[in-house]
Amino acid sequence: MGGRLARVVAPVLVLLLAGGRASAVWPMPQRLTEAPGPSTALSPGRFRLRYAAASAVQPGCSVLDQAFARYLRLLFGPARPAEAGEDQANDSTLTVFVVNPGCDGFPSLNSLESYTLILSEDQFSLKAEEVWGALRGLETFSQLVWRSAEGTYFVNKTEIVDFPRFPHRGLLLDTSRHYLPLTSILETLDVMAYNKFNVFHWHIVDDPSFPFESVSFPELSRKGAYNSATHVYTPEDVKIVIEYARLRGIRVLAEFDTPGHTLSWGQGAPGLLTPCYVGPAPSGTYGPVNPILNSTYEFMAKLFSEISSVFPDFYLHLGGDEVDFTCWRSNPDIRYFMEEVGFGQDFTKLESLYIQKLLSIVSSYGKGYVVWQEVFDNGVKVKGDTVVHVWRENAGSYRKELERVTNASYRALLSAPWYLNRIGYGQDWVEAYKVEPLQFEGTPEQKALVIGGEACMWGEYVDATNLTPRLWPRAGAVAERLWSSKDVTDIQSAYLRLADFRCELLRRGVQAQPLYTGFCKQEFFGP
């Protein structure tokens, strides 16, 4: 059982016990060069993070001011600052130079995250086009610093030129099937930043519960949440999440999935859902959103007006997946409507009618949208800038779906092989790591339309008790696949670095599960 893996684990222990970390950056940078020669010692009380004099952003930039403080704590803990008036001639300083101004905005799909990091005898410098790249560079620097057995901090002479392979690198959390407290979401955002993820896909509501506290329709959460006092996200909670994410260079992509997955909406919005029938009589149960009523679209217009103002990202995720037509088919009013408009028995046309009206509503608020692949599969007329999210996994069929989506000139996101809620005994991160997002038949122009992907953590069996260890470090496999060069594929090398990174996560207080047998010194000796 342990033959091949044991041969992999042995050098991991040597790496960890030796204390060296210089080549263990996760995800792997595009280009990393280590120079020979002695490492440079860092004194926690005398190390500085500073803006370069010519940088387009200076002190007062909230993103970098907070990042400087955050990374000094991550590196050294509550280390002693230099005493006032103390000789600072021997201070070590990482100077940060940002080419373009801008600190108060939000990251977007077009944000630049490239950076250059030079650690030499003459200089410690970090250069980035935008503050978002500076954040990624600070994370890389923090992983390059290592601590000897005697407690001295070192960094090796290193030069890194780095940028992401894909602009959309996301992680989905489902907060409907189990409510996740704010602390769990914020911790997840922290670890996303450590992995250079840049999109938090917030699947905030679904059939089981409606925890989003709407100002326009307060009854939705009062009657649809598990507990309207304890299991809701207030407007202030949502603002906290969005700002916390912004300061880490992470977009918040909110998903409100309709017309299916909406049972929790029903009690707070009477008349919104379709009454199901058994024969000629109502059954007392309800199906998807009722697509034949004007009141449905009036409701959606008001709700999505609020959603569009609350969530600043250009994109909203509108779902559109897994619509069960059974209830629509049973309802006599809907059957009559189908006959009147000439849809016959093709309920995909009815679904398309609803989706197209919803997309028009959302577009009127100046928003773009992401939809699950069924919207494309069912032939809904969507805008050219629509992003199609590929999630169905049947013997690699997602590759054919990517081919079809991009052949129709739509941009695509991939999640099908990265459903991390599915777990198995052993190192299932390896299968996620082996995925090549562009391994499908298509032209270079088609492949350029794949803007990235997302790891998904659906919540049927996940809540705050097991979210963190189930996510990390497994989600790191997806993070590296979406950030690093397509040529970074060596499993043994990845194992060494990911095992080391997992130990670093433990040092940072993240309860990441082990990859295999072994130990981390942080388990016993603290940071």
Side-chain angles (χ1 to χ4, degrees), residues 205-314:
V205 300
D206 206 296
D207 280 333
S209 72
F210 195 104
F212 175 76
E213 195 173 85
S214 168
V215 174
S216 302
F217 298 100
E219 293 300 297
L220 288 172
S221 59
R222 286 178 190 164
K223 295 182 178 179
Y226 287 131
N227 185 306
S228 61
T230 60
H231 287 57
V232 294
Y233 302 106
T234 67
E236 184 59 30
D237 292 335
V238 173
K239 288 179 183 178
I240 289 171
V241 169
I242 292 170
E243 179 63 5
Y244 200 90
R246 185 187 79 87
L247 292 171
R248 287 151 183 79
I250 296 172
R251 299 162 50 203
V252 177
L253 175 64
E255 180 181 358
F256 288 80
D257 190 359
T258 66
H261 293 279
T262 50
L263 290 181
S264 66
W265 304 43
Q267 291 187 51
L272 180 66
L273 303 185
T274 303
C276 306
Y277 278 66
V278 175
S283 66
T285 61
Y286 293 87
V289 165
N290 192 329
I292 69 172
L293 302 178
N294 290 335
S295 59
T296 292
Y297 302 102
E298 292 167 0
F299 171 89
M300 291 298 173
K302 188 173 182 181
L303 178 63
F304 276 94
S305 174
E306 177 184 354
I307 291 168
S308 297
S309 65
V310 167
F311 293 96
D313 197 78
F314 175 68

Side-chain angles (χ1 to χ4, degrees), residues 433-515:
Y433 191 79
K434 287 180 178 178
V435 172
E436 169 46 53
L438 302 187
Q439 189 179 357
F440 63 91
E441 294 294 326
T443 65
E445 291 77 15
Q446 282 180 252
K447 296 188 178 186
L449 291 171
V450 179
I451 60 173
E454 294 183 356
C456 297
M457 184 58 74
W458 296 99
E460 287 88 347
Y461 305 98
V462 177
D463 66 5
T465 65
N466 62 348
L467 173 68
T468 297
R470 188 167 290 194
L471 266 179
W472 313 110
R474 296 165 69 233
V478 183
E480 179 153 292
R481 184 55 51 237
L482 293 172
W483 178 279
S484 304
S485 166
K486 66 178 181 180
D487 299 323
V488 177
T489 57
D490 185 271
I491 299 298
Q492 180 164 326
S493 170
Y495 182 96
L496 296 175
R497 290 182 297 107
L498 189 57
D500 186 63
F501 182 56
R502 181 256 173 173
C503 292
E504 174 64 9
L505 293 179
L506 289 186
R507 189 187 73 81
R508 296 184 184 192
V510 180
Q511 296 300 299
Q513 69 180 22
L515 294 182

Side-chain angles (χ1 to χ4, degrees), residues 196-209:
K196 299 186 174 72
F197 280 114
N198 68 349
V199 179
F200 169 40
H201 178 167
W202 194 353
H203 188 89
I204 193 167
V205 300
D206 206 296
D207 280 333
S209 72

Side-chain angles (χ1 to χ4, degrees), residues 322-450:
E322 296 183 315
V323 181
D324 185 350
F325 299 146
T326 305
C327 184
W328 282 353
R329 191 176 287 115
S330 75
N331 185 288
D333 293 332
I334 288 184
R335 290 201 306 270
Y336 177 78
F337 177 86
M338 295 277 286
E339 293 174 8
E340 286 292 300
V341 297
F343 287 173
Q345 296 297 311
D346 188 352
F347 285 88
T348 63
K349 292 182 178 179
L350 182 61
E351 178 188 8
S352 296
L353 174 69
Y354 168 81
I355 294 289
Q356 284 174 243
K357 288 189 175 184
L358 179 64
L359 298 185
S360 296
I361 289 169
V362 172
S363 295
S364 72
Y365 299 129
K367 290 287 190 178
Y369 41 77
V370 183
V371 293
W372 294 113
Q373 69 179 73
E374 287 94 326
V375 173
F376 169 79
D377 293 341
N378 292 339
V380 178
K381 295 178 183 177
V382 295
K383 294 190 303 181
D385 62 355
T386 299
V387 179
V388 179
H389 199 161
V390 176
W391 73 275
R392 288 188 177 274
E393 166 68 306
N394 295 307
S397 64
Y398 68 83
R399 295 186 180 93
K400 293 299 294 183
E401 185 75 7
L402 287 172
E403 180 184 344
R404 288 190 292 266
V405 169
T406 56
N407 189 51
S409 299
Y410 293 115
R411 289 176 296 170
L413 289 173
L414 178 62
S415 282
W418 292 324
Y419 271 40
L420 299 183
N421 47 291
R422 299 171 182 160
I423 58 175
Y425 189 77
Q427 299 197 50
D428 56 354
W429 69 272
V430 173
E431 291 308 309
Y433 191 79
K434 287 180 178 178
V435 172
E436 169 46 53
L438 302 187
Q439 189 179 357
F440 63 91
E441 294 294 326
T443 65
E445 291 77 15
Q446 282 180 252
K447 296 188 178 186
L449 291 171
V450 179

